[in-house]
């Protein structure tokens, strides 16, 4: 009986260990953001602070350019996600519903683009943007972010569109709708889970991206085109050894992703699995 009980328990034990392993850095960031300075620099680690402070958050939000960088990150991320959704929806509809020469090759290219690490394009991206005189500009960064999330978005939405019976569109067209109107009125409302999942993936990807921003956005000072992840890399030099303010800024940086994930989690998770296997 003990062996049977152990056999049923070991998956939970492994899950608990993995949870602690991955959750501890997040806990340490949060606790450090609220700790007093004495607890932060103490030689003995303080795992559970007995007293907290909001001074580190005041220092982070009061730092020069913090809110400017927040605005830049939101602008780049939202524009990239919305643009990728528009383009990917049309492309996914063409792949799922229409037959044309090179269709299979196009799908294969999408898969290869999704599997390829985007870090390999940083040098070519820099050379292209430099030759066009567009370094330290949010536009090329937005375009590259859109390209990063586009393959996954097309692949996922293709599965959802393929799962919608063609008869629904045909019925709408018989009733007088054009093909575009049938898509907008019949197919598009059924894509909500796919749109949720791809939006979440795109937001996380663009919001957290650093290597490309590090190469394309070099300028500093007011009015720069830096994003928040890039600004956080220089945050330590701004505050010296103020680890509390650094962790507070990192906590604020993580909040938008957490809020969006909690808001979309049910439909997003279902959308990722459904879009991956249908069609």
């Amino acid at each position: 009986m003990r062996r049977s009980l152990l056999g049923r328990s070991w998956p939970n034990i492994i899950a608990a260990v993995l949870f602690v392993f991955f959750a501890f850095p997040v806990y340490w960031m949060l606790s450090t953001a609220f700790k007093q300075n004495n607890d932060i620099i103490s030689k003995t680690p303080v795992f559970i602070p007995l007293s907290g402070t909001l001074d580190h958050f005041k220092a982070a939000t009061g730092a020069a350019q913090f809110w400017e960088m927040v605005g830049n990150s939101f602008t780049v991320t939202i524009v990239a996600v919305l643009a990728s959704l528009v383009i990917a929806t049309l492309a996914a509809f063409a792949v799922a519903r229409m037959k044309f020469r090179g269709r299979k090759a196009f799908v294969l290219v999408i898969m290869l683009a999704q599997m390829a690490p985007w870090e390999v394009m940083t040098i070519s991206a820099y050379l292209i943007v430099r030759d066009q005189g567009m370094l330290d500009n949010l536009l090329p960064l937005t375009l590259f972010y859109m390209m990063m999330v586009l393959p996954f978005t097309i692949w996922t939405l293709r599965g959802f569109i393929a799962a919608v019976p063609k008869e629904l569109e045909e019925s709408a067209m018989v009733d007088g709708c054009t093909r575009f109107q049938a898509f907008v009125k019949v197919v598009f409302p059924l894509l909500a889970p796919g749109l949720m999942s791809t939006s979440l993936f795109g937001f996380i990807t663009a919001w957290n991206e650093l290597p490309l921003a590090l190469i394309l956005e070099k300028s500093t000072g007011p009015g720069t085109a830096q994003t928040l992840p890039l600004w956080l890399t220089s945050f330590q030099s701004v505050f010296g050894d103020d680890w509390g303010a650094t962790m507070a800024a990192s906590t604020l940086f993580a909040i938008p992703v957490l809020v969006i994930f909690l808001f979309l989690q049910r439909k997003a998770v279902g959308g990722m699995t459904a879009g991956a296997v249908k069609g």
Side-chain angles (χ1 to χ4, degrees):
M1 183 166 180
R2 290 182 178 179
R3 291 182 179 179
S4 178
L5 181 61
L6 182 61
R8 293 195 301 267
S9 300
W10 71 263
N12 295 331
I13 295 174
I14 294 177
V17 172
L18 291 176
F19 173 79
V20 172
F21 178 79
F22 288 106
F24 180 77
V26 178
Y27 167 77
W28 194 254
M29 177 185 70
L30 291 172
S31 63
T32 303
F34 289 99
K35 287 178 183 177
Q36 299 284 350
N37 286 326
N38 293 335
D39 293 335
I40 295 176
I41 64 177
S42 174
K43 293 182 179 180
T44 303
V46 179
F47 294 97
I48 303 177
L50 300 179
S51 60
T53 179
L54 295 176
D55 291 342
H56 302 309
F57 287 93
K58 294 178 181 179
T61 55
Q65 300 180 306
F66 174 79
W67 294 110
E68 181 182 353
M69 298 304 108
V70 171
N72 288 347
S73 288
F74 270 113
T75 300
V76 170
T77 301
I78 292 175
V79 172
V81 170
L82 292 179
S84 66
L85 287 177
V86 173
I87 297 174
T89 301
L90 299 177
F93 180 81
V95 173
R97 285 288 192 260
M98 302 178 182
K99 294 182 179 181
F100 53 90
R101 182 176 297 179
R103 176 175 173 270
K104 293 183 178 180
F106 179 72
V107 175
L108 179 61
V109 169
I110 293 174
M111 294 179 62
L112 293 176
Q114 177 61 30
M115 292 186 293
W118 282 99
E119 287 76 8
V120 301
M121 78 170 187
T122 52
I123 296 177
S124 59
Y126 172 79
L127 295 176
I128 294 172
V129 175
R130 183 201 62 183
D131 293 343
Q132 297 300 319
M134 299 186 69
L135 290 174
D136 301 318
N137 193 312
L138 291 179
L139 178 60
L141 192 63
T142 304
L143 293 176
F144 280 115
Y145 285 175
M146 182 195 69
M147 293 169 55
M148 291 172 64
V149 303
L150 198 55
F152 175 83
T153 307
I154 295 176
W155 181 259
T156 303
L157 294 181
R158 167 188 170 273
F160 277 91
I161 295 175
V164 178
K166 294 182 180 180
E167 291 76 11
L168 295 178
E169 293 178 68
E170 294 172 352
S171 299
M173 294 172 66
V174 169
D175 291 338
C177 291
T178 63
R179 186 157 195 171
F180 180 76
Q181 290 174 333
F183 170 76
V184 172
K185 295 181 179 180
V186 177
V187 179
F188 187 77
L190 300 177
L191 299 182
L195 295 173
M196 295 288 186
S197 61
T198 52
S199 298
L200 178 60
F201 172 82
F203 188 91
I204 294 175
T205 301
W207 182 261
N208 292 330
E209 201 282 331
L210 175 62
L212 198 58
L214 187 62
I215 293 176
L216 299 183
E217 314 298 335
K218 292 289 187 180
S219 63
T220 59
T224 61
Q226 288 188 356
T227 55
L228 196 56
L230 181 57
W231 180 76
L232 284 174
T233 62
S234 61
F235 196 82
Q236 187 61 21
S237 63
V238 175
F239 282 93
D241 294 326
D242 193 349
W243 290 106
T246 303
M247 293 298 103
S250 300
T251 300
L252 295 174
F253 172 73
I255 287 177
V257 174
L258 178 62
V259 171
I260 291 177
F261 177 78
L262 293 176
F263 180 73
L264 301 178
Q265 60 174 334
R266 292 184 178 179
K267 290 188 177 180
V269 174
M272 289 180 182
T273 56
V277 299
K278 294 181 179 179

